[in-house]
Amino acid sequence: MSNSTTEISTPMSINDTTLTFINQTTLALLNLTDATSRIVVKDHPSPFGKCYTWEDAQHTVFQLANLCMAISFLTPSSFQYHVFFLRCLLLVGFVFFLLWAGLFVCMIDILVWNAIFVAVNLGHIGYLTYVNFPVKMHDQMEDIYSKLFRPLKMSRQEFALICKLGTMMTVPKGSIYAVEGISHIGDKVSILVKGKLKVTYGRFYLHHIEMNEFVDSPECDSAVPYVETDEKYQVTISASEESRILTWHYPTLQEYLDKDTYLATAFHYILGKDISHKLYQIQELLLSNPDYMRTLASRQSSMVNLRNSLVTQDSCLSLTKLNNIHMSGGLTIASVGAALKAKKAERQDTIETSV
């Protein structure tokens, strides 16, 4: 009985061992096949960089970041604040990339790079905000800007920067701004902010200077920048009432304007219009009063010599040109628009390229 039991148990042990061996061998072969297939793929990559496996779509934050990028690049350049808008969208996109890299994929290099991009765009947005932030001005300066500078498409920021170069001065009633034959030209140029000034030649009254008019535009026009001259004012300018003027040191102002051809062109057009207005005032005075200034040697020449800059050959605006301009309706926006449009477009292209 004992022997039969032993004979039955022995074959069962052999079968179990054989089955275990077969299972282990099969598993090893499967693992070897899988490993071999991976080695083959690794050793023989596609020459076109073909992906054999695709990851699932990334998180929604990643998709939002790319959407912001796409919208920013589609912003039309005709939009006035397109550079500012583009920078803001880029900032939002980089913030989304930052969150995606730090919270979902945990990739330090993407995290660091996008943190740098966020910092750069924050700085640039701060700069654009400072440059384009609305400038608050005194009501009188606002009036000057609206009447003289804004029609020539000069921005409030540009006007404010020009004003900062000047000094606001009070001229008491009866005070002298310039003395005929004594005061040198080319040192200063001023605009009347408040009050009224009187211009005289000898004992003859010529005209008044009202608010928003330049005080000495003819003398400024005749002055040669950066060149000292012995030329003097040919008229006396005094205050008929307490007045306020914005005065610039002319060489400093000219140096600033030389850095921007558009600003220089616009500023000199405004000066030219002011000269034309003053000349027209004198002409009206002579036409309405035929006997006025009869004691002068030549009334025709005196009309010119009253403001010495109008006879200098180096003057930017000759007497003939001024007369033609005034007879055609003055320096209107239409008459200067073509010249300023080209300079404005050229400068805008330069600014956008640098931004």
Side-chain angles (χ1 to χ4, degrees):
M1 187 68 177
S2 176
N3 292 335
S4 64
T5 304
T6 302
E7 291 175 359
I8 294 173
S9 61
T10 299
M12 291 179 61
S13 299
I14 293 174
N15 291 336
D16 290 342
T17 303
T18 302
L19 183 59
T20 301
F21 176 76
I22 292 173
N23 290 336
Q24 291 177 349
T25 303
T26 303
L27 182 61
L29 289 173
L30 291 175
N31 291 335
L32 180 60
T33 302
D34 182 62
T36 303
S37 64
R38 288 200 300 268
I39 292 174
V40 170
V41 172
K42 184 176 180 180
D43 290 343
H44 300 281
S46 171
F48 303 104
K50 180 180 178 181
C51 297
Y52 289 93
T53 57
W54 289 86
E55 299 289 341
D56 293 335
Q58 295 298 320
H59 194 273
T60 306
V61 174
F62 179 81
Q63 311 304 331
L64 288 174
N66 284 282
L67 180 62
C68 290
M69 295 291 179
I71 296 176
S72 67
F73 295 139
L74 293 175
T75 306
S77 59
S78 57
F79 178 48
Q80 182 178 2
Y81 300 105
H82 75 280
V83 176
F84 184 82
F85 185 70
L86 181 145
R87 288 287 176 175
C88 289
L89 281 177
L90 287 178
L91 175 64
V92 174
F94 288 133
V95 169
F96 280 139
F97 277 130
L98 190 67
L99 296 175
W100 172 71
L103 300 179
F104 299 100
V105 295
C106 301
M107 301 179 70
I108 187 63
D109 53 345
I110 298 179
L111 181 69
V112 171
W113 277 112
N114 282 278
I116 295 174
F117 296 151
V118 167
V120 170
N121 275 274
L122 277 175
H124 209 118
I125 289 174
Y127 168 75
L128 293 175
T129 302
Y130 170 77
V131 170
N132 295 285
F133 195 81
V135 177
K136 293 183 178 180
M137 294 184 290
H138 192 274
D139 291 342
Q140 295 167 344
M141 299 306 298
E142 183 73 39
D143 192 40
I144 292 175
Y145 170 71
S146 299
K147 292 182 177 180
L148 299 181
F149 294 88
R150 186 167 64 185
L152 296 180
K153 307 303 180 182
M154 184 179 294
S155 68
R156 296 171 63 89
Q157 289 76 17
E158 292 166 338
F159 176 71
L161 290 176
I162 291 177
C163 290
K164 287 182 180 179
L165 298 175
T167 303
M168 192 67 70
M169 300 177 60
T170 300
V171 184
K173 181 179 180 180
S175 297
I176 305 298
Y177 174 83
V179 180
E180 175 186 342
I182 297 178
S183 301
H184 287 270
I185 69 172
D187 292 335
K188 60 184 177 180
V189 58
S190 306
I191 190 170
L192 184 60
V193 177
K194 179 183 178 182
K196 180 185 291 186
L197 302 179
K198 181 175 65 174
V199 181
T200 57
Y201 175 66
R203 61 186 178 87
F204 297 103
Y205 161 78
L206 299 180
H207 60 85
H208 275 109
I209 299 174
E210 305 289 345
M211 290 174 52
N212 305 332
E213 293 182 6
F214 280 91
V215 178
D216 42 8
S217 53
E219 288 75 18
C220 175
D221 179 67
S222 67
V224 180
Y226 316 118
V227 177
E228 294 185 2
T229 178
D230 293 331
E231 293 187 45
K232 308 292 194 303
Y233 279 77
Q234 299 300 302
V235 295
T236 296
I237 304 174
S238 58
S240 299
E241 58 187 60
E242 183 173 279
S243 307
R244 296 186 68 197
I245 60 175
L246 178 61
T247 301
W248 291 277
H249 180 240
Y250 184 60
T252 302
L253 175 62
Q254 187 63 46
E255 182 179 359
Y256 177 78
L257 294 176
D258 286 343
K259 298 177 182 178
D260 192 320
T261 56
Y262 167 76
L263 292 181
T265 303
F267 193 86
H268 285 95
Y269 268 118
I270 296 172
L271 279 178
K273 183 177 180 179
D274 189 82
I275 296 172
S276 176
H277 176 69
K278 287 176 170 54
L279 179 63
Y280 185 73
Q281 285 181 302
I282 298 174
Q283 289 175 326
E284 280 193 327
L285 178 63
L286 294 177
L287 292 174
S288 61
N289 298 277
D291 295 332
Y292 194 66
M293 291 187 284
R294 184 176 292 277
T295 57
L296 293 176
S298 171
R299 294 177 70 251
Q300 182 64 26
S301 62
S302 67
M303 184 171 62
V304 180
N305 291 326
L306 294 177
R307 306 303 292 268
N308 71 319
S309 68
L310 299 181
V311 298
T312 57
Q313 294 181 357
D314 295 333
S315 175
C316 298
L317 295 167
S318 65
L319 177 62
T320 303
K321 182 178 179 181
L322 288 174
N323 277 296
N324 292 336
I325 289 173
H326 212 297
M327 293 301 293
S328 63
L331 286 172
T332 61
I333 298 177
S335 64
V336 302
L340 291 179
K341 183 178 181 180
K343 294 182 180 295
K344 186 82 171 180
E346 179 182 353
R347 185 184 63 165
Q348 186 65 26
D349 291 341
T350 303
I351 293 174
E352 290 181 359
T353 303
S354 62
V355 171

PDB file of all heavy atoms in Angstrom, residues 138 140-141 144 167-172 190-197 211-213 215 239 241-247:
ATOM      1  N   HIS A 138      -2.596 121.941 -17.153  1.00  0.00           N
ATOM      2  CA  HIS A 138      -3.383 123.096 -16.722  1.00  0.00           C
ATOM      3  C   HIS A 138      -4.325 123.501 -17.852  1.00  0.00           C
ATOM      4  O   HIS A 138      -4.038 123.284 -19.031  1.00  0.00           O
ATOM      5  CB  HIS A 138      -2.434 124.245 -16.365  1.00  0.00           C
ATOM      6  CG  HIS A 138      -3.115 125.367 -15.652  1.00  0.00           C
ATOM      7  ND1 HIS A 138      -3.766 126.394 -16.324  1.00  0.00           N
ATOM      8  CD2 HIS A 138      -3.259 125.634 -14.333  1.00  0.00           C
ATOM      9  CE1 HIS A 138      -4.263 127.239 -15.439  1.00  0.00           C
ATOM     10  NE2 HIS A 138      -3.982 126.799 -14.231  1.00  0.00           N
ATOM     11  N   GLN A 140      -4.995 126.290 -19.187  1.00  0.00           N
ATOM     12  CA  GLN A 140      -4.409 127.196 -20.173  1.00  0.00           C
ATOM     13  C   GLN A 140      -3.480 126.459 -21.126  1.00  0.00           C
ATOM     14  O   GLN A 140      -3.472 126.721 -22.337  1.00  0.00           O
ATOM     15  CB  GLN A 140      -3.660 128.322 -19.463  1.00  0.00           C
ATOM     16  CG  GLN A 140      -4.585 129.226 -18.657  1.00  0.00           C
ATOM     17  CD  GLN A 140      -3.840 130.138 -17.714  1.00  0.00           C
ATOM     18  OE1 GLN A 140      -2.670 129.928 -17.415  1.00  0.00           O
ATOM     19  NE2 GLN A 140      -4.528 131.169 -17.232  1.00  0.00           N
ATOM     20  N   MET A 141      -2.711 125.505 -20.600  1.00  0.00           N
ATOM     21  CA  MET A 141      -1.839 124.717 -21.462  1.00  0.00           C
ATOM     22  C   MET A 141      -2.660 123.770 -22.323  1.00  0.00           C
ATOM     23  O   MET A 141      -2.301 123.486 -23.476  1.00  0.00           O
ATOM     24  CB  MET A 141      -0.840 123.924 -20.618  1.00  0.00           C
ATOM     25  CG  MET A 141       0.083 124.787 -19.762  1.00  0.00           C
ATOM     26  SD  MET A 141       0.950 126.045 -20.730  1.00  0.00           S
ATOM     27  CE  MET A 141       1.899 125.027 -21.843  1.00  0.00           C
ATOM     28  N   ILE A 144      -3.742 125.766 -25.299  1.00  0.00           N
ATOM     29  CA  ILE A 144      -2.656 125.924 -26.270  1.00  0.00           C
ATOM     30  C   ILE A 144      -2.479 124.648 -27.077  1.00  0.00           C
ATOM     31  O   ILE A 144      -2.335 124.681 -28.307  1.00  0.00           O
ATOM     32  CB  ILE A 144      -1.345 126.297 -25.551  1.00  0.00           C
ATOM     33  CG1 ILE A 144      -1.446 127.694 -24.960  1.00  0.00           C
ATOM     34  CG2 ILE A 144      -0.150 126.214 -26.510  1.00  0.00           C
ATOM     35  CD1 ILE A 144      -0.244 128.105 -24.141  1.00  0.00           C
ATOM     36  N   THR A 167      10.236 127.255 -19.164  1.00  0.00           N
ATOM     37  CA  THR A 167      10.025 127.808 -17.826  1.00  0.00           C
ATOM     38  C   THR A 167       8.832 128.741 -17.860  1.00  0.00           C
ATOM     39  O   THR A 167       8.737 129.612 -18.735  1.00  0.00           O
ATOM     40  CB  THR A 167      11.272 128.577 -17.349  1.00  0.00           C
ATOM     41  OG1 THR A 167      12.400 127.713 -17.384  1.00  0.00           O
ATOM     42  CG2 THR A 167      11.079 129.095 -15.937  1.00  0.00           C
ATOM     43  N   MET A 168       7.925 128.582 -16.907  1.00  0.00           N
ATOM     44  CA  MET A 168       6.772 129.461 -16.812  1.00  0.00           C
ATOM     45  C   MET A 168       7.169 130.728 -16.057  1.00  0.00           C
ATOM     46  O   MET A 168       7.713 130.659 -14.944  1.00  0.00           O
ATOM     47  CB  MET A 168       5.621 128.751 -16.106  1.00  0.00           C
ATOM     48  CG  MET A 168       4.291 129.458 -16.206  1.00  0.00           C
ATOM     49  SD  MET A 168       3.631 129.479 -17.897  1.00  0.00           S
ATOM     50  CE  MET A 168       3.226 127.739 -18.100  1.00  0.00           C
ATOM     51  N   MET A 169       6.921 131.878 -16.672  1.00  0.00           N
ATOM     52  CA  MET A 169       7.318 133.155 -16.079  1.00  0.00           C
ATOM     53  C   MET A 169       6.121 134.099 -16.042  1.00  0.00           C
ATOM     54  O   MET A 169       5.263 134.065 -16.923  1.00  0.00           O
ATOM     55  CB  MET A 169       8.456 133.795 -16.890  1.00  0.00           C
ATOM     56  CG  MET A 169       9.710 132.952 -16.972  1.00  0.00           C
ATOM     57  SD  MET A 169      10.980 133.721 -18.025  1.00  0.00           S
ATOM     58  CE  MET A 169      11.227 135.277 -17.155  1.00  0.00           C
ATOM     59  N   THR A 170       6.105 134.945 -15.026  1.00  0.00           N
ATOM     60  CA  THR A 170       5.078 135.982 -14.903  1.00  0.00           C
ATOM     61  C   THR A 170       5.669 137.323 -15.302  1.00  0.00           C
ATOM     62  O   THR A 170       6.745 137.705 -14.830  1.00  0.00           O
ATOM     63  CB  THR A 170       4.543 136.050 -13.469  1.00  0.00           C
ATOM     64  OG1 THR A 170       3.967 134.792 -13.105  1.00  0.00           O
ATOM     65  CG2 THR A 170       3.489 137.138 -13.335  1.00  0.00           C
ATOM     66  N   VAL A 171       4.971 138.040 -16.168  1.00  0.00           N
ATOM     67  CA  VAL A 171       5.406 139.363 -16.628  1.00  0.00           C
ATOM     68  C   VAL A 171       4.423 140.392 -16.080  1.00  0.00           C
ATOM     69  O   VAL A 171       3.285 140.478 -16.559  1.00  0.00           O
ATOM     70  CB  VAL A 171       5.462 139.433 -18.164  1.00  0.00           C
ATOM     71  CG1 VAL A 171       6.005 140.784 -18.618  1.00  0.00           C
ATOM     72  CG2 VAL A 171       6.300 138.302 -18.727  1.00  0.00           C
ATOM     73  N   PRO A 172       4.823 141.171 -15.076  1.00  0.00           N
ATOM     74  CA  PRO A 172       3.904 142.180 -14.515  1.00  0.00           C
ATOM     75  C   PRO A 172       3.519 143.237 -15.550  1.00  0.00           C
ATOM     76  O   PRO A 172       4.223 143.456 -16.531  1.00  0.00           O
ATOM     77  CB  PRO A 172       4.717 142.789 -13.369  1.00  0.00           C
ATOM     78  CG  PRO A 172       5.787 141.794 -13.066  1.00  0.00           C
ATOM     79  CD  PRO A 172       6.104 141.138 -14.362  1.00  0.00           C
ATOM     80  N   SER A 190       9.199 132.357 -26.789  1.00  0.00           N
ATOM     81  CA  SER A 190       8.151 132.253 -25.775  1.00  0.00           C
ATOM     82  C   SER A 190       6.778 132.199 -26.421  1.00  0.00           C
ATOM     83  O   SER A 190       6.579 132.645 -27.555  1.00  0.00           O
ATOM     84  CB  SER A 190       8.211 133.454 -24.816  1.00  0.00           C
ATOM     85  OG  SER A 190       9.496 133.605 -24.262  1.00  0.00           O
ATOM     86  N   ILE A 191       5.843 131.670 -25.657  1.00  0.00           N
ATOM     87  CA  ILE A 191       4.440 131.647 -26.072  1.00  0.00           C
ATOM     88  C   ILE A 191       3.617 132.232 -24.932  1.00  0.00           C
ATOM     89  O   ILE A 191       3.888 131.976 -23.754  1.00  0.00           O
ATOM     90  CB  ILE A 191       3.988 130.209 -26.422  1.00  0.00           C
ATOM     91  CG1 ILE A 191       2.621 130.224 -27.077  1.00  0.00           C
ATOM     92  CG2 ILE A 191       4.009 129.310 -25.203  1.00  0.00           C
ATOM     93  CD1 ILE A 191       2.218 128.877 -27.673  1.00  0.00           C
ATOM     94  N   LEU A 192       2.644 133.053 -25.278  1.00  0.00           N
ATOM     95  CA  LEU A 192       1.836 133.739 -24.277  1.00  0.00           C
ATOM     96  C   LEU A 192       0.742 132.805 -23.773  1.00  0.00           C
ATOM     97  O   LEU A 192      -0.115 132.376 -24.536  1.00  0.00           O
ATOM     98  CB  LEU A 192       1.234 135.012 -24.868  1.00  0.00           C
ATOM     99  CG  LEU A 192       0.431 135.899 -23.914  1.00  0.00           C
ATOM    100  CD1 LEU A 192       1.292 136.374 -22.751  1.00  0.00           C
ATOM    101  CD2 LEU A 192      -0.164 137.094 -24.657  1.00  0.00           C
ATOM    102  N   VAL A 193       0.777 132.512 -22.488  1.00  0.00           N
ATOM    103  CA  VAL A 193      -0.186 131.606 -21.879  1.00  0.00           C
ATOM    104  C   VAL A 193      -1.397 132.375 -21.357  1.00  0.00           C
ATOM    105  O   VAL A 193      -2.548 131.923 -21.461  1.00  0.00           O
ATOM    106  CB  VAL A 193       0.479 130.805 -20.743  1.00  0.00           C
ATOM    107  CG1 VAL A 193      -0.527 129.900 -20.051  1.00  0.00           C
ATOM    108  CG2 VAL A 193       1.652 129.998 -21.267  1.00  0.00           C
ATOM    109  N   LYS A 194      -1.158 133.557 -20.802  1.00  0.00           N
ATOM    110  CA  LYS A 194      -2.234 134.355 -20.216  1.00  0.00           C
ATOM    111  C   LYS A 194      -1.861 135.823 -20.322  1.00  0.00           C
ATOM    112  O   LYS A 194      -0.691 136.189 -20.196  1.00  0.00           O
ATOM    113  CB  LYS A 194      -2.451 133.957 -18.756  1.00  0.00           C
ATOM    114  CG  LYS A 194      -3.543 134.738 -18.048  1.00  0.00           C
ATOM    115  CD  LYS A 194      -3.627 134.318 -16.584  1.00  0.00           C
ATOM    116  CE  LYS A 194      -4.692 135.138 -15.857  1.00  0.00           C
ATOM    117  NZ  LYS A 194      -4.762 134.785 -14.411  1.00  0.00           N
ATOM    118  N   GLY A 195      -2.862 136.677 -20.544  1.00  0.00           N
ATOM    119  CA  GLY A 195      -2.622 138.111 -20.576  1.00  0.00           C
ATOM    120  C   GLY A 195      -2.534 138.661 -21.984  1.00  0.00           C
ATOM    121  O   GLY A 195      -3.039 138.083 -22.956  1.00  0.00           O
ATOM    122  N   LYS A 196      -1.858 139.831 -22.108  1.00  0.00           N
ATOM    123  CA  LYS A 196      -1.728 140.501 -23.404  1.00  0.00           C
ATOM    124  C   LYS A 196      -0.432 141.306 -23.419  1.00  0.00           C
ATOM    125  O   LYS A 196      -0.087 141.976 -22.446  1.00  0.00           O
ATOM    126  CB  LYS A 196      -2.925 141.421 -23.644  1.00  0.00           C
ATOM    127  CG  LYS A 196      -2.888 142.163 -24.975  1.00  0.00           C
ATOM    128  CD  LYS A 196      -4.052 143.154 -25.105  1.00  0.00           C
ATOM    129  CE  LYS A 196      -5.374 142.415 -25.227  1.00  0.00           C
ATOM    130  NZ  LYS A 196      -6.494 143.379 -25.502  1.00  0.00           N
ATOM    131  N   LEU A 197       0.281 141.218 -24.536  1.00  0.00           N
ATOM    132  CA  LEU A 197       1.508 141.972 -24.731  1.00  0.00           C
ATOM    133  C   LEU A 197       1.327 142.962 -25.876  1.00  0.00           C
ATOM    134  O   LEU A 197       0.513 142.737 -26.781  1.00  0.00           O
ATOM    135  CB  LEU A 197       2.682 141.034 -25.037  1.00  0.00           C
ATOM    136  CG  LEU A 197       3.010 139.961 -23.994  1.00  0.00           C
ATOM    137  CD1 LEU A 197       4.178 139.106 -24.471  1.00  0.00           C
ATOM    138  CD2 LEU A 197       3.311 140.562 -22.638  1.00  0.00           C
ATOM    139  N   MET A 211      -3.382 135.690 -26.175  1.00  0.00           N
ATOM    140  CA  MET A 211      -3.135 134.353 -25.620  1.00  0.00           C
ATOM    141  C   MET A 211      -2.986 133.327 -26.740  1.00  0.00           C
ATOM    142  O   MET A 211      -3.597 133.446 -27.801  1.00  0.00           O
ATOM    143  CB  MET A 211      -4.297 133.949 -24.695  1.00  0.00           C
ATOM    144  CG  MET A 211      -4.368 134.721 -23.403  1.00  0.00           C
ATOM    145  SD  MET A 211      -5.836 134.312 -22.441  1.00  0.00           S
ATOM    146  CE  MET A 211      -5.739 132.536 -22.359  1.00  0.00           C
ATOM    147  N   ASN A 212      -2.135 132.335 -26.491  1.00  0.00           N
ATOM    148  CA  ASN A 212      -1.878 131.224 -27.414  1.00  0.00           C
ATOM    149  C   ASN A 212      -1.089 131.647 -28.647  1.00  0.00           C
ATOM    150  O   ASN A 212      -1.043 130.910 -29.631  1.00  0.00           O
ATOM    151  CB  ASN A 212      -3.172 130.540 -27.858  1.00  0.00           C
ATOM    152  CG  ASN A 212      -4.020 130.077 -26.693  1.00  0.00           C
ATOM    153  OD1 ASN A 212      -3.502 129.787 -25.609  1.00  0.00           O
ATOM    154  ND2 ASN A 212      -5.326 130.012 -26.891  1.00  0.00           N
ATOM    155  N   GLU A 213      -0.469 132.815 -28.606  1.00  0.00           N
ATOM    156  CA  GLU A 213       0.377 133.267 -29.700  1.00  0.00           C
ATOM    157  C   GLU A 213       1.836 133.301 -29.236  1.00  0.00           C
ATOM    158  O   GLU A 213       2.117 133.529 -28.052  1.00  0.00           O
ATOM    159  CB  GLU A 213      -0.028 134.659 -30.182  1.00  0.00           C
ATOM    160  CG  GLU A 213      -1.389 134.718 -30.840  1.00  0.00           C
ATOM    161  CD  GLU A 213      -1.722 136.118 -31.338  1.00  0.00           C
ATOM    162  OE1 GLU A 213      -0.835 137.010 -31.258  1.00  0.00           O
ATOM    163  OE2 GLU A 213      -2.852 136.332 -31.796  1.00  0.00           O
ATOM    164  N   VAL A 215       5.431 134.930 -28.771  1.00  0.00           N
ATOM    165  CA  VAL A 215       5.836 136.307 -28.497  1.00  0.00           C
ATOM    166  C   VAL A 215       6.835 136.798 -29.529  1.00  0.00           C
ATOM    167  O   VAL A 215       6.736 137.919 -30.034  1.00  0.00           O
ATOM    168  CB  VAL A 215       6.434 136.415 -27.082  1.00  0.00           C
ATOM    169  CG1 VAL A 215       6.917 137.841 -26.800  1.00  0.00           C
ATOM    170  CG2 VAL A 215       5.403 135.990 -26.036  1.00  0.00           C
ATOM    171  N   ALA A 239       4.285 144.354 -21.535  1.00  0.00           N
ATOM    172  CA  ALA A 239       3.056 143.745 -21.043  1.00  0.00           C
ATOM    173  C   ALA A 239       1.980 144.799 -20.875  1.00  0.00           C
ATOM    174  O   ALA A 239       2.150 145.758 -20.104  1.00  0.00           O
ATOM    175  CB  ALA A 239       3.316 143.041 -19.720  1.00  0.00           C
ATOM    176  N   GLU A 241      -0.927 144.030 -19.675  1.00  0.00           N
ATOM    177  CA  GLU A 241      -1.524 143.591 -18.417  1.00  0.00           C
ATOM    178  C   GLU A 241      -0.672 142.464 -17.864  1.00  0.00           C
ATOM    179  O   GLU A 241       0.234 141.972 -18.536  1.00  0.00           O
ATOM    180  CB  GLU A 241      -2.960 143.134 -18.631  1.00  0.00           C
ATOM    181  CG  GLU A 241      -3.094 142.006 -19.636  1.00  0.00           C
ATOM    182  CD  GLU A 241      -4.524 141.672 -19.952  1.00  0.00           C
ATOM    183  OE1 GLU A 241      -5.258 142.550 -20.448  1.00  0.00           O
ATOM    184  OE2 GLU A 241      -4.911 140.487 -19.695  1.00  0.00           O
ATOM    185  N   GLU A 242      -0.918 142.108 -16.630  1.00  0.00           N
ATOM    186  CA  GLU A 242      -0.117 141.026 -16.054  1.00  0.00           C
ATOM    187  C   GLU A 242      -0.284 139.761 -16.893  1.00  0.00           C
ATOM    188  O   GLU A 242      -1.407 139.322 -17.160  1.00  0.00           O
ATOM    189  CB  GLU A 242      -0.544 140.761 -14.608  1.00  0.00           C
ATOM    190  CG  GLU A 242       0.318 139.689 -13.935  1.00  0.00           C
ATOM    191  CD  GLU A 242       0.013 139.531 -12.460  1.00  0.00           C
ATOM    192  OE1 GLU A 242       0.525 140.330 -11.659  1.00  0.00           O
ATOM    193  OE2 GLU A 242      -0.766 138.597 -12.129  1.00  0.00           O
ATOM    194  N   SER A 243       0.827 139.188 -17.281  1.00  0.00           N
ATOM    195  CA  SER A 243       0.795 138.069 -18.224  1.00  0.00           C
ATOM    196  C   SER A 243       1.680 136.936 -17.742  1.00  0.00           C
ATOM    197  O   SER A 243       2.561 137.122 -16.893  1.00  0.00           O
ATOM    198  CB  SER A 243       1.259 138.535 -19.615  1.00  0.00           C
ATOM    199  OG  SER A 243       0.531 139.660 -20.048  1.00  0.00           O
ATOM    200  N   ARG A 244       1.410 135.762 -18.314  1.00  0.00           N
ATOM    201  CA  ARG A 244       2.249 134.589 -18.059  1.00  0.00           C
ATOM    202  C   ARG A 244       2.722 134.048 -19.394  1.00  0.00           C
ATOM    203  O   ARG A 244       1.942 133.931 -20.345  1.00  0.00           O
ATOM    204  CB  ARG A 244       1.481 133.507 -17.294  1.00  0.00           C
ATOM    205  CG  ARG A 244       1.047 133.912 -15.893  1.00  0.00           C
ATOM    206  CD  ARG A 244       0.439 132.733 -15.172  1.00  0.00           C
ATOM    207  NE  ARG A 244       1.448 131.726 -14.897  1.00  0.00           N
ATOM    208  CZ  ARG A 244       1.171 130.454 -14.578  1.00  0.00           C
ATOM    209  NH1 ARG A 244      -0.086 130.044 -14.556  1.00  0.00           N
ATOM    210  NH2 ARG A 244       2.127 129.596 -14.325  1.00  0.00           N
ATOM    211  N   ILE A 245       4.001 133.737 -19.454  1.00  0.00           N
ATOM    212  CA  ILE A 245       4.571 133.207 -20.684  1.00  0.00           C
ATOM    213  C   ILE A 245       5.353 131.934 -20.386  1.00  0.00           C
ATOM    214  O   ILE A 245       5.898 131.758 -19.290  1.00  0.00           O
ATOM    215  CB  ILE A 245       5.499 134.241 -21.369  1.00  0.00           C
ATOM    216  CG1 ILE A 245       6.641 134.622 -20.430  1.00  0.00           C
ATOM    217  CG2 ILE A 245       4.727 135.458 -21.827  1.00  0.00           C
ATOM    218  CD1 ILE A 245       7.678 135.535 -21.060  1.00  0.00           C
ATOM    219  N   LEU A 246       5.370 131.044 -21.366  1.00  0.00           N
ATOM    220  CA  LEU A 246       6.199 129.845 -21.309  1.00  0.00           C
ATOM    221  C   LEU A 246       7.409 130.115 -22.186  1.00  0.00           C
ATOM    222  O   LEU A 246       7.276 130.302 -23.401  1.00  0.00           O
ATOM    223  CB  LEU A 246       5.433 128.625 -21.805  1.00  0.00           C
ATOM    224  CG  LEU A 246       6.200 127.299 -21.849  1.00  0.00           C
ATOM    225  CD1 LEU A 246       6.672 126.886 -20.462  1.00  0.00           C
ATOM    226  CD2 LEU A 246       5.340 126.199 -22.471  1.00  0.00           C
ATOM    227  N   THR A 247       8.577 130.163 -21.580  1.00  0.00           N
ATOM    228  CA  THR A 247       9.803 130.553 -22.278  1.00  0.00           C
ATOM    229  C   THR A 247      10.749 129.379 -22.382  1.00  0.00           C
ATOM    230  O   THR A 247      10.997 128.668 -21.391  1.00  0.00           O
ATOM    231  CB  THR A 247      10.497 131.718 -21.545  1.00  0.00           C
ATOM    232  OG1 THR A 247       9.602 132.827 -21.486  1.00  0.00           O
ATOM    233  CG2 THR A 247      11.762 132.138 -22.279  1.00  0.00           C
TER     234      THR A 247
END
